[in-house]
């Protein structure tokens, strides 16, 4: 696809739409938007202009202009993604949504809220908590990521085992389509069998099918009682078998997180904390359980303690703030060690996690890869954070990661899994996605993209390529 460049007249039209100071070609500003959380310079691309719209109407006007002038648009919220989804591969316009950062309504009686895409996830969580409510979307990057990005990537996180991913928190979305039309999809209903479920299609489409400018999201009553424990194992296979026991027992945990010993050591060093059993090879299952009744909570705690003992835990401790900090700071710890670190994000059926982790060490050795494993093991989502400890040059490092991915994706798909549970495909995994996705499924996606975005201006070269 051949796109046009930003001319002075187009720049002036953009400034007319969003205001003079909210359309910038300043080199220092453009530097910020050449990447998201990707550290490998081979993926960096600079936008020609960054715009900061303040309303749905401004977003729509920019998109209509881009269609007329054949200019690519890269939508962006906080830029915390790990798949190059917010990198402007074809330059053009980056549409930064940070000014649209209002919680428009918080209805405690009817358990919903209306928010704009630039709201930080943690701010929504805290606003809900102040009213005794829970917004259940909880990616590990909650303190920095924004709702728009969560919706666009169908972000997962720690609470997904009980409450589902971001997709499961949606009632409705206001979306600017790739043609610049403003549409509202979905409704504040508990059930609906009325036509295509477009809000679910748009969630997870990574900005390729439109730009989300407003969302009506579900809230829940905040459970008043909870506990967090960390079950320590000296054998990863025992730790990885525990989630199925917990779920089968009907305990309904809010989260079950796993950290291997390498991850524990890396995070412990980063937060400057001697974590329990870190020095003698321990691995962690970190488990949160909530309840609406103290007796119910006590019963579940007793059940869980017995299950941990039966599974072979060498120690069971209360998971205090340092344990959760270690889990949530693992990505930052890897980034401090190596700017070109990478995070894998595959997902498999729960009973197949052990199959993957059993073969991972050999695959990592084959490609001379060092890293730690963390996982949302209550929903089968495995992260391997990979460190470029040999300081390979950008091109070689990318080649190493692609070769590693090819082996690990072959295993994951053989086991009935997929290459991403929550990070998305973006630009970085696009070629692998085309290789491993069945032809019929891929054809439908390309037909859909072409129909919705005939000029291919909306986040092009993400997820799939279309002609």
């Amino acid at each position: 696809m051949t796109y046009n460049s930003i001319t002075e007249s187009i720049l002036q039209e953009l400034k007319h739409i969003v205001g003079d100071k909210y359309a910038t070609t300043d080199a220092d500003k453009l530097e910020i938007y050449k990447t998201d959380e990707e550290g490998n310079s081979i993926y960096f691309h600079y936008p020609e202009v960054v715009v900061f719209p303040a309303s749905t109407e401004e977003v729509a006007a920019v998109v209509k202009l881009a269609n007329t002038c054949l200019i690519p648009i890269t939508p962006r919220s906080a830029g915390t993604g790990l798949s190059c989804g917010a990198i402007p591969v074809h330059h053009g316009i980056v549409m930064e949504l940070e000014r649209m950062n209002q919680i428009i309504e918080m209805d405690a009686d009817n358990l919903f809220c209306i928010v704009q895409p630039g709201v930080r996830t943690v701010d929504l969580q805290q606003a809900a908590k102040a009213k005794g409510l829970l917004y259940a979307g909880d990616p590990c990057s909650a303190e920095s990521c924004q709702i728009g990005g969560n919706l666009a990537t169908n972000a997962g996180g720690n609470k997904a085992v009980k409450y589902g991913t971001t997709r499961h928190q949606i009632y409705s979305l206001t979306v600017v389509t790739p043609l610049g039309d403003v549409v509202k999809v979905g409704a504040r209903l508990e059930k609906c069998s009325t036509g295509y479920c477009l809000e679910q299609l748009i969630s997870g489409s990574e900005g390729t099918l439109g730009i989300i400018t407003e969302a009506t999201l579900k809230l829940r009553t905040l459970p008043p009682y909870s506990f967090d424990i960390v079950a320590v194992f000296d054998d990863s296979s025992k730790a990885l078998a525990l989630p199925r026991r917990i779920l089968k027992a009907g305990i309904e945990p809010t989260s079950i997180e796993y950290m291997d010993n390498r991850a524990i050591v890396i995070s412990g060093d980063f937060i400057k904390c001697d974590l329990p059993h870190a020095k003698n090879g321990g691995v962690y299952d970190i488990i949160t359980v909530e309840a609406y009744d103290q007796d119910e909570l006590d019963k579940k705690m007793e059940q869980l303690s017995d299950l941990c003992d039966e599974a072979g835990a060498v120690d069971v401790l209360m998971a205090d703030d340092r344990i959760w900090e270690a889990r949530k700071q693992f990505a930052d710890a890897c980034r401090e060690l190596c700017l070109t670190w990478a995070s894998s994000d595959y997902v498999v059926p729960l009973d197949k996690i052990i199959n993957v982790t059993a073969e991972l060490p050999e695959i990592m050795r084959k490609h001379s890869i060092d890293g730690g494993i963390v996982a949302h093991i209550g929903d089968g989502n495995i992260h391997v954070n990979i460190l470029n400890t040999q300081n390979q040059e950008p091109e070689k490092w990318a080649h190493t990661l692609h070769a590693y991915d090819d082996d690990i994706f072959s295993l994951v798909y053989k086991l009935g899994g997929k290459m991403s549970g929550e990070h998305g495909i973006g630009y970085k995994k696009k070629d692998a996605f085309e290789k491993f996705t069945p032809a019929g499924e891929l054809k439908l996606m390309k037909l859909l993209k072409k129909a919705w975005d005939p000029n291919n201006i909306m986040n092009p070269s993400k997820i799939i390529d279309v002609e």
Side-chain angles (χ1 to χ4, degrees), residues 5 13 30 40 77 128 155 185 254 264 268-269 303 329 391 411 459:
S5 299
E13 288 190 64
L30 300 186
N40 192 331
S77 286
V185 294
T254 302
I264 293 167
D269 289 345
Q303 275 184 287
Q329 294 288 337
N391 295 315
L411 172 62
N459 217 9

Side-chain angles (χ1 to χ4, degrees), residues 40 42-43 340 342 344 363-370 386-408 428:
N40 192 331
I42 70 165
Y43 296 108
T340 53
S344 294
I363 294 174
M364 293 172 75
R365 278 193 294 270
K366 174 183 174 182
H367 298 284
S368 300
I369 279 175
D370 174 38
I386 305 163
L387 304 174
N388 185 7
T389 52
Q390 298 184 19
N391 295 315
Q392 294 182 18
E393 293 299 315
E395 291 282 354
K396 185 176 181 181
W397 179 234
H399 177 77
T400 296
L401 292 176
H402 287 320
Y404 161 80
D405 281 345
D406 199 58
D407 283 347
I408 196 65
K428 195 171 185 179

Side-chain angles (χ1 to χ4, degrees), residues 172-231:
S172 65
L173 302 173
T174 298
V175 181
V176 175
T177 73
L179 296 175
D181 298 323
V182 178
V183 298
K184 184 173 181 178
V185 294
R188 191 165 58 83
L189 302 171
E190 296 304 320
K191 61 187 291 188
C192 181
S193 296
T194 310
Y196 299 144
C197 197
L198 297 178
E199 72 277 12
Q200 296 298 304
L201 173 63
I202 290 166
S203 176
S205 65
E206 302 185 43
T208 62
L209 299 181
I211 300 172
I212 298 164
T213 60
E214 190 175 285
T216 301
L217 303 174
K218 300 175 184 178
L219 300 174
R220 306 164 197 267
T221 304
L222 186 67
Y225 304 99
S226 67
F227 66 81
D228 297 80
I229 68 166
V230 54

Side-chain angles (χ1 to χ4, degrees), residues 406-460:
D406 199 58
D407 283 347
I408 196 65
F409 292 158
S410 295
L411 172 62
V412 163
Y413 276 75
K414 183 176 70 176
L415 296 171
K418 299 283 188 178
M419 66 178 62
S420 178
E422 58 188 10
H423 292 170
I425 304 303
Y427 178 65
K428 195 171 185 179
K429 289 183 271 191
K430 175 172 60 70
D431 291 343
F433 182 73
E434 180 138 5
K435 176 178 180 178
F436 287 96
T437 302
E441 187 178 347
L442 201 63
K443 180 180 179 180
L444 287 175
M445 291 184 192
K446 291 186 176 186
L447 288 170
L448 180 65
K449 169 68 172 173
K450 188 67 175 176
W452 281 43
D453 185 10
N455 290 323
N456 195 28
I457 66 157
M458 192 62 67
N459 217 9

Side-chain angles (χ1 to χ4, degrees), residues 53-296:
S55 67
T56 297
E57 291 73 23
E58 289 183 4
V59 172
V62 171
V63 173
K64 286 179 180 178
L65 176 63
N67 257 295
T68 300
C69 300
L70 203 61
I71 306 290
I73 295 177
T74 303
R76 181 181 176 112
S77 286
T80 60
L82 295 164
S83 299
C84 302
I87 293 177
V89 174
H90 297 281
H91 311 295
I93 300 168
V94 162
M95 185 176 288
E96 169 61 76
L97 299 165
E98 64 181 24
R99 292 178 68 206
M100 300 176 67
N101 59 4
Q102 299 301 304
I103 298 175
I104 297 169
E105 184 175 357
M106 180 75 65
D107 191 324
D109 292 331
N110 295 300
L111 298 177
F112 74 90
C113 62
I114 302 175
V115 301
Q116 293 181 314
V119 173
R120 280 197 314 158
T121 307
V122 69
D123 291 337
L124 178 56
Q125 291 171 332
Q126 291 174 350
K129 188 175 182 180
K131 292 184 175 292
L133 303 175
L134 171 71
Y135 173 67
D138 191 31
C140 284
S141 58
E143 293 190 3
S144 55
C145 65
Q146 295 172 358
I147 292 296
N150 293 176
L151 293 164
T153 60
N154 185 32
N158 300 323
K159 293 186 173 72
V161 64
K162 182 174 183 179
Y163 297 112
T165 60
T166 300
R167 175 175 281 136
H168 300 98
Q169 319 311 321
I170 298 170
Y171 275 129
S172 65
L173 302 173
T174 298
V175 181
V176 175
T177 73
L179 296 175
D181 298 323
V182 178
V183 298
K184 184 173 181 178
V185 294
R188 191 165 58 83
L189 302 171
E190 296 304 320
K191 61 187 291 188
C192 181
S193 296
T194 310
Y196 299 144
C197 197
L198 297 178
E199 72 277 12
Q200 296 298 304
L201 173 63
I202 290 166
S203 176
S205 65
E206 302 185 43
T208 62
L209 299 181
I211 300 172
I212 298 164
T213 60
E214 190 175 285
T216 301
L217 303 174
K218 300 175 184 178
L219 300 174
R220 306 164 197 267
T221 304
L222 186 67
Y225 304 99
S226 67
F227 66 81
D228 297 80
I229 68 166
V230 54
V232 184
F233 294 85
D234 58 8
D235 182 335
S236 62
S237 63
K238 293 177 182 177
L240 294 166
L242 180 61
R244 295 196 304 281
R245 292 172 178 251
I246 294 172
L247 296 171
K248 190 174 181 181
I251 292 176
E252 295 186 327
T254 302
S255 64
I256 314 175
E257 297 293 301
Y258 171 79
M259 296 182 75
D260 78 351
N261 188 254
R262 183 76 173 111
I264 293 167
V265 170
I266 290 171
S267 283
D269 289 345
F270 178 69
I271 65 173
K272 297 178 172 57
C273 178
D274 291 328
L275 295 171
H277 299 272
K279 294 179 180 178
N280 57 359
V283 300
Y284 292 171
D285 281 353
I286 311 167
I287 306 151
T288 300
V289 176
E290 299 170 326
Y292 291 94
D293 177 84
Q294 183 66 57
D295 291 339
E296 178 192 3

